[in-house]
Amino acid sequence: MFFPPFCMPPSTESRRQYQRYKLEMMKAFRDSLETRLAAVNAAISTVEQQISQEGE
């Protein structure tokens, strides 16, 4: 089995694989943040509604 030395630049295919992995990780991170943001927005809306109902 051949192991290239560490000083060799990565192959084009390994770079593409890393870029695909990185993209999938960033998409998963974004989806998680969007879910959390939706929950926070819903909580804010609920509290705003409760405040406006108390004022009536």
Side-chain angles (χ1 to χ4, degrees):
M1 189 175 280
F2 174 71
F3 294 101
F6 290 107
C7 60
M8 289 183 66
S11 70
T12 302
E13 184 55 33
S14 66
R15 179 158 171 76
R16 279 193 190 114
Q17 287 175 346
Y18 174 72
Q19 292 289 32
R20 284 189 211 111
Y21 168 77
K22 186 176 169 181
L23 178 61
E24 291 305 313
M25 291 301 294
M26 287 190 291
K27 285 181 177 181
F29 185 61
R30 179 195 59 197
D31 293 345
S32 173
L33 290 174
E34 286 176 344
T35 301
R36 291 191 218 175
L37 181 59
V40 169
N41 285 335
I44 288 171
S45 178
T46 300
V47 172
E48 287 175 340
Q49 287 175 354
Q50 290 171 348
I51 290 171
S52 69
Q53 289 173 356
E54 288 175 0
E56 293 175 3

